[in-house]
Structure formats: C-alpha cells, structure tokens
Amino acid sequence: MPTTPAAPPGAGPARSLADDVRARSDAELRELLRRRPDLARPAPTDLTSLAARASTRASVLRALDSLDRAHLQVLEAAALQPGAIDEAVLASHLGLDPVDGGDGGDGGDPVDSRDAPDPRDPGSSVGGRSAAAALLEDLWQTALLWRSGDGLHVTRAVAEAIGPHVAGLGPAAAELRGTTPAPLSDPERVDELLEQAPPPARAILDRLAWGPPLAVLPPEGSAGRVAEGARWLLAQGLVLTVTADQACLPREVGLRLRGGRVHRELALAAPVTTGEQRSRREVDASAGQQVSDLLVLVDELAAEWGPRPPRVLRAGGLSVRDLKRLSSVLDVTERRAAFVAEVALAAGLVADDGSLEPVWAPTPFYDEWQQRPGASRWAVLAQSWLASTRAAHLVGGTPAGGSGTVNALGPEAQWPPARGLRRDVLDELARAGEAVALPTDAVIAALRWRRPRRLPKGIDAVVSATLEESEWLGVTGRGALSRGGLALLAGDVDESLGATMHPHLPTPVEHVLLQADLTAIAPGPLEGALAQFMRLVAEVESRGGATVYRFTPDTVRRCLDAGWSVDQVLAALTDASHTPIPQPLDYLVRDVARRHGQTRVGSVSSYIRSDDEATLGAMLADRALAPLQLRRVAPTVLVSPVAASTALDFLRDSGFAPAAESADGGLLVPSAGHHRAQPPRRPSAPAVHTVDDETAHTLIAALRAGEETAAYQRAQRASRPGPDLPSTDPTTTLALLREAAADRQGVWIGYSDGTGSVQRMLFYPDRVEGGRVHGTAEGTLRTLSIHRVTGASAS
C-alpha cells in the first residue's frame, strides 16, 4: 500500500478530524461536500463546525448507508484497530497477502511476468492491496477516516455507529474485562486451546465464529452437551461472561476461528453482471407500445370513475371489490390495475374529493393533462412514479406489523424506501450497458453489493416489482432501459423528457374501421374527441397494436343518456369511419334511440311516465321492481318513494330503456360524468441533495473566511483567560462535549442561567445523555442543560 501523505506544509500534526478538515485543500473540501451533501445544509460557519457536523451520528449513519460492500468491509476491518491503521494488519484482516518487503533475494529463479498477479484484479493479492488502498483514500475523502502524522484513523463517531460487534466480532477481551486474560494474549496458545476443544465446546465456537458473538448461558448446574461445552469454554477463558446469563466470544478468539480474516468472503469489486443484448430499435418500440397502453388505461380509469366514483374506505384507500371492478373494466390483472391507480394518484390525476361521503374521482388537472400530446402526458406519469414514495406492489399483501390487507390508494401503500430503490434498480440497468436487459437475480446481487446497509427485507419482491412497473411505464422495453428511461435517470423533465419518447410512440389515428359484426377497429391509438366518443359509444373488447371496440345496446344507450341524439351519433360514426356505417350498426343505433326516452323518470321522490300503458303494466307486474314500490297514479304515470337515480338503475337492470326527465319535461343529461375531485397539491419533484461546483466554491470561501475571522479573534484575545466563545448550534455543542468527555479534556462554555446572564466556565464533561451534560466546573459537580449552552470551544 502507498505511504500516507504528510500534512500540508506549515500545519501541525492533526490530532482530530477537525484538524484534518482544516488542513484540507479546496479541492478536497469540494470532494467532501460532493460525497456528503448533507454537511452543506444549513451552511456551517467555519471549518470547525463542518468537522463537528461530519461527526454527528445522523450524518455518519447517512454516509455509512451510502457505502458499497467494498468500502464497508475495508472500514470494518480498519475499525478493529484502536489507533492509526496499520496497513499490514489491515491486509491480514482482509485476507490479503502481506506486502512483500524485498525483491526475492533468496537467489531463486526470477518470477515469470506472465505468472505475476495482475494489480488491476481486486481478486489478486497485489490488486486487492491496491484496491484496499484506494478504498481507504475514498473513506478519508468522505471524512469517515482522519489523517495525522502517524497515518489514518477511524473517527470516533464511525466506530460508535458501526457498533460493538464489528462484522459480527465481539469486543476485545480488554474491553470486556479491563485486561486481556493470559491465554488470549498469546495467539499460539489460543490455537492450542481451540485444537483441544471437546466436540460440545467446538460446536458452540463454530456457532459464534461468524456472529453474533453473544450466547445465553445454560442455568448453573444443568447437564447436557451444551452445558458441558459452555463450562469448558468459560474455564479456559475462550468465552467471557458479560452478564449473569450471557457470554461473549472475545475478538481475539473470533479472529483465530476465522483464520485471521474479518469477513467470510471479500468483495472489493462489484459483481460482474451479464445480461441479454437487445437492439435499440426493439427496446424503444416496445417501450412506446407500453406507454400507449398506459395512457389508454389511465383514460379508461378516469372514464369509469367520473360517472361512477368508488367510495373512499373509512381507513382510506380503495376497497377490494372496487379494485376488482377496475381490473375488469381495464381488462388487466388486479396487480396492474393497482399500479395504474397508484400512478394516477401520484401524478395528481385522481384524488379523494373530500366530501362528507368521500369518493375517488378524477381531478381538474386530469382534464388539462388529457389535452396534452401523448409524450407530454407520459412525462408527467414517469416523473411522478420515480418521485413517489408509494409502492403499488404492496397492494393485496399484509401491512407491516398488522393484520388485514393493504388497499390500493390507502395509507399502508406508503413506503418511503420505494423512491430510492427505484432509482437504484434503474441505475443498475444503466450500468449494464446500452440496451442490455439484466435478469432479476443479477440486479438483486448488484444491489446487495452496492447498498448492503440500506436494503429492506424482501428485496427480491421489490426488485421484481420495480422491473415490472418500469416495463408497464415504458421506462424499459424488453427489460432494457429505453431512451425515455435514460433521459428520466439523467434528470430531464417535462417537455425535454417527453421529446425523448415522442418518436417511439405509435402514431395516433383519426379514424376507425366499422365492421358488420357490431365492432370497430382502431388501427392505432386514438386521441382527443374521437377517443372520448369511442369510449362513450362502445366498449373495448381487446387491445394490442389495434384496439377492437364493440357496440351494444347498453353502450349506445349510454351515449344517448349523455345527451347525444341519434343523428349526432350516426354523424360522428360516419366522420370517424373511412367506410359507410354497416347496416347492423345503423339498425342498432336507431332501434335503441327509438326506445330511448319512451319512458321518463322524475322525482316525486320519483315518477315514471310513458305513453305506452302496456309498458307501465309490465313494470307493475315485474317482481324485480318490487323494491321501487311502484304505484299507478294515472294511466300513463307511476310514482315511487325511491330516488329517481335508483329507479333508473332498477329499470335498466330489468331490460327497460328509460331516460331521465327534468322538472320542465325535457331530457335530463346527467352531470355525473363530469364529477371531479378537488385538485390536490401537485406532487413536487424530490429535492436533489447535491452540491454543485458553484455552491461548493461559495461555501468553501465562506468557511475559509469564517476560519480566518476566528483565528484573528483568538489572536486579539490571547491575553484573556480562556478562548473566544462563538455562538454554536446545539449539534456542534454536542459534538464538542462528547469529544471532550471521551478525551477527558475541558471545554470552555458560555452558560445562560435562570436570570438570563451568561457565565463563562471551564467545564470537564463526564457524560452526555438526555439533553444534559454531567461533569465538573471549578471542582463542583454540575449538570447543565444543552439548550442553555450559548457557545463552546475546546480548551
């Protein structure tokens, strides 16, 4: 490994992370802010504050969660060393060959260069040491290590965050006992004892070797193999008690059991992922077709929920029955129907209308969105999906820590990790290469290496669902990233994002082919008024490259109920078709129109009138209409105590074709088809936590200026007792107090008492807990509240 560079000229040896940060160049500080952007928000006042923030537990945990397995393994191995990192010990702990200190001066034959290990290969000893050195440098740049004259050190905050059982190893014997027991101080003696261990003891050691290192002791005086083995291990000092009923395998023994290696398998390089090469053309064509299908499904959802909005469950969400109905209407699986509903919700196209009896309904934004070009509409859906924290794949499962079922659009489908994992999965597809489709197993393996600390349970199902959803959304095509998906990952938005998908969408058509079997074929996607008309006058029978619509008496009546006249329906069909209207379709439309409106329904609560007395007689005799409690009040009039809308539904279910009538006797066009929910707050793109070069340059200049100001003030007040006490935020104060407590050093603090006056004191903290610090000042034990500390500075 390369030697550690010396500190910058003129700078004293670094004694802490703060000294290390202050000695860094502008380029190194810029790299630190790029790797850990949370340090820049809010902007620290000087470099000391920047170092204190980098030492906070929350920031350290965030940095650790961003590490891949290679960096994490090197950091864990380094954390086993209490002082400066010894590179030879680190190589041994990683299972790498020790550095060769000579040129083979034994007079032996020279080594053939073809047989020498490749330094570029992390799997070789030379390549592994080079990779480990590079990883240590990365960890230093991320401020998880700090550099002094004697080498690199693991920061105290990192050691605490990793925990006492680093990589499944227990604490050192000295930490458990205060001193190292004699047998454990001699590795050869430990090996002898391990060889002498009887089978029951050996079974316990094998169980504890790779962690966790804790074991529950059998009750005193108990018999059996486990008790026998435990007594032998305790007698030989190979395990040490930590409580009355718990023992721990010391680190020294654990390492000997592992053969001196910290990790079972070393992974200093990302796993090699291989996939299937696709052609760019077929990927984008497949993605374009998926986008076309998705836009149709969202329109059909809105067309279904506009006139017949499903109710919102008391606990929120969509009922299982309503999801099944939506699945039937869209002619897709329930899983895909839930995805369509969740994407529409994320994009603000549907929402809870907030009424006394709330329902799920399209929003006014949907009407605006529907008028946009197809590519622009897709851009809204794609951006919303990538930014959403909702997980459609959870629908139908059991809520975490509860019972019942996760409902679509419900609160249980909210899952914050979904957003980060979507991007991680897409990033892996992007790394695979141009138009390469990766199998699910390869993506999972890559994620396990790249983000070992932050992967949730059930990652296999999450990755499978993400790949499936990205295919439905057109972000991928045939398993590989489409051009639109690449642009989405690159951060393109709105029109620029839509432009990448536009060339690959099927060309919209403005006509249909009317068939004699009461069907119509749309040879491509329909848009605008024609698409709305076809959804109103017919129902979708099948989809694909071409969409097949079927005309039925119910669909024609639905169109007439919406206010269309028979002449308008026939004229619209004539305009939409390149061929004349087939005679069967003409007969169907005219026959339904002839019977439509012969029976009129109003409110009495409701009344039914018809010039055909025989029709009214049939209604009175129909047992299925008994719930309406119909009563004849005139030869051509029936009345009912139920609402007019309910009477309409019953009569239509019984095969009659009534029409709604207004108070003045005219045909009533229902307004239910235009039901809209109140527009929700439009989802905004998540804040991108990055620090660009301009921001970094400005911030670093401010940090340098703050450091110079602090130095000048210290020089001006050098004659005064104690250092200057600048105002510090609670985070910085806590970090300084914890570091002083660990080092048994004093801290100058300003403390506001109950009267509001500020006292200066040299305080020696013992421990910090619960928002208070305990320690001594002027020989007196004191407990201070952190929020009353106005400023702090190391003594």
Side-chain angles (χ1 to χ4, degrees), residues 228-589:
E228 177 188 345
R231 283 193 292 270
W232 189 89
L233 292 172
L234 289 170
Q236 302 300 324
L238 293 180
V239 298
L240 303 176
T241 57
V242 291
T243 64
D245 62 347
Q246 198 174 57
C248 181
L249 185 72
R251 181 179 300 165
E252 295 88 342
V253 180
L255 281 172
R256 301 308 295 178
L257 287 170
R258 297 183 182 190
R261 295 179 292 117
V262 176
H263 304 96
R264 193 189 300 265
E265 294 181 359
L266 190 62
L268 297 188
V272 178
T273 56
T274 57
E276 187 174 350
Q277 183 67 52
R278 313 283 194 195
S279 74
R280 171 51 63 190
R281 182 175 182 179
E282 68 177 349
V283 168
D284 291 334
S286 175
Q289 184 59 54
Q290 291 286 358
V291 171
S292 179
D293 292 344
L294 178 63
L295 297 180
V296 171
L297 291 176
V298 173
D299 282 338
E300 290 189 7
L301 178 147
E304 172 67 17
W305 286 6
R308 292 172 294 277
R311 68 185 182 89
V312 178
L313 294 176
R314 183 177 301 177
L318 186 70
S319 70
V320 174
R321 181 183 61 184
D322 288 327
L323 179 60
K324 288 182 177 178
R325 175 176 174 79
L326 178 63
S327 170
S328 176
V329 169
L330 301 184
D331 193 24
V332 296
T333 63
E334 290 183 27
R335 184 180 178 91
R336 189 169 185 181
F339 166 74
V340 174
E342 288 287 353
V343 168
L345 177 69
L349 305 180
V350 298
D352 176 344
D353 70 350
S355 61
L356 291 177
E357 295 184 359
V359 295
W360 294 106
T363 64
F365 176 62
Y366 166 76
D367 299 315
E368 174 193 337
W369 174 84
Q370 191 186 36
Q371 301 306 313
R372 298 182 182 183
S376 178
R377 297 164 69 195
W378 170 79
V380 172
L381 298 179
Q383 292 175 85
S384 301
W385 173 76
L386 190 62
S388 175
T389 57
R390 300 188 62 81
H393 74 276
L394 297 178
V395 174
T398 303
S403 58
T405 301
V406 177
N407 295 101
L409 310 184
E412 297 90 355
Q414 190 75 244
W415 192 53
R419 180 165 59 198
L421 285 170
R422 283 193 196 106
R423 184 170 287 277
D424 288 342
V425 170
L426 297 182
D427 284 340
E428 290 303 327
L429 294 178
R431 292 188 187 99
E434 175 74 8
V436 174
L438 290 179
T440 303
D441 292 346
V443 177
I444 294 171
L447 289 182
R448 291 189 187 280
W449 184 87
R450 208 165 298 280
R451 293 291 182 265
R453 282 178 56 94
R454 76 179 191 189
L455 286 185
K457 294 180 179 179
I459 185 62
D460 296 21
V462 175
V463 171
S464 297
T466 301
L467 293 173
E468 183 179 51
E469 292 176 5
S470 63
E471 194 78 12
W472 288 338
L473 196 63
V475 173
T476 60
R478 299 199 62 196
L481 278 176
S482 64
R483 292 191 189 277
L486 290 169
L488 181 66
L489 268 184
D492 289 5
V493 296
D494 300 333
E495 296 304 322
S496 61
L497 176 59
T500 62
M501 182 59 71
H502 176 73
H504 313 295
L505 292 178
T507 304
V509 298
E510 299 179 352
H511 69 280
V512 295
L513 305 175
L514 299 178
Q515 308 291 309
D517 61 351
L518 298 182
T519 62
I521 299 176
L526 301 178
E527 290 187 348
L530 179 57
Q532 295 181 23
F533 171 70
M534 290 303 297
R535 281 195 299 270
L536 184 64
V537 77
E539 60 186 15
V540 176
E541 189 170 79
S542 65
R543 297 188 185 88
T547 305
V548 178
Y549 295 87
R550 178 164 294 280
F551 300 93
T552 67
D554 288 340
T555 62
V556 175
R557 189 200 68 230
R558 181 175 63 202
C559 187
L560 297 175
D561 287 343
W564 290 67
S565 68
V566 60
D567 293 334
Q568 289 174 325
V569 172
L570 293 174
L573 290 173
T574 301
D575 292 341
S577 177
H578 286 180
T579 58
I581 299 176
Q583 192 175 52
L585 179 57
D586 185 272
Y587 284 169
L588 174 65
V589 174

Side-chain angles (χ1 to χ4, degrees), residues 604-686:
V604 179
S605 292
S606 62
Y607 65 86
I608 303 171
R609 70 178 184 86
S610 175
D611 294 335
D612 186 350
E613 297 181 20
T615 299
L616 295 184
M619 292 179 185
L620 288 170
D622 192 340
R623 291 185 178 182
L625 298 179
L628 297 182
Q629 303 177 35
L630 296 176
R631 180 169 56 88
R632 191 190 293 269
V633 295
T636 58
V637 180
L638 302 179
V639 296
S640 171
V642 304
S645 59
T646 303
L648 279 168
D649 291 340
F650 268 86
L651 292 174
R652 287 169 178 165
D653 290 343
S654 296
F656 298 96
E661 185 173 79
S662 64
D664 58 4
L667 185 65
L668 182 63
V669 177
S671 59
H674 303 287
H675 186 90
R676 291 294 182 264
Q678 291 297 321
R681 182 174 64 86
R682 284 297 312 283
S684 57

Side-chain angles (χ1 to χ4, degrees), residues 159-246:
E160 293 174 354
I162 291 178
H165 302 153
V166 179
L169 289 168
E175 298 177 37
L176 295 171
R177 282 288 181 272
T179 59
T180 303
L184 302 185
S185 60
D186 183 2
E188 293 183 0
R189 176 58 180 159
V190 173
D191 290 341
E192 291 178 5
L193 290 174
L194 292 177
E195 291 179 2
Q196 299 169 8
R202 188 68 200 193
I204 296 175
L205 291 172
D206 292 341
R207 185 71 177 268
L208 301 178
W210 293 101
L214 297 176
V216 176
L217 294 172
E220 187 175 353
S222 60
R225 290 174 57 83
V226 174
E228 177 188 345
R231 283 193 292 270
W232 189 89
L233 292 172
L234 289 170
Q236 302 300 324
L238 293 180
V239 298
L240 303 176
T241 57
V242 291
T243 64
D245 62 347
Q246 198 174 57

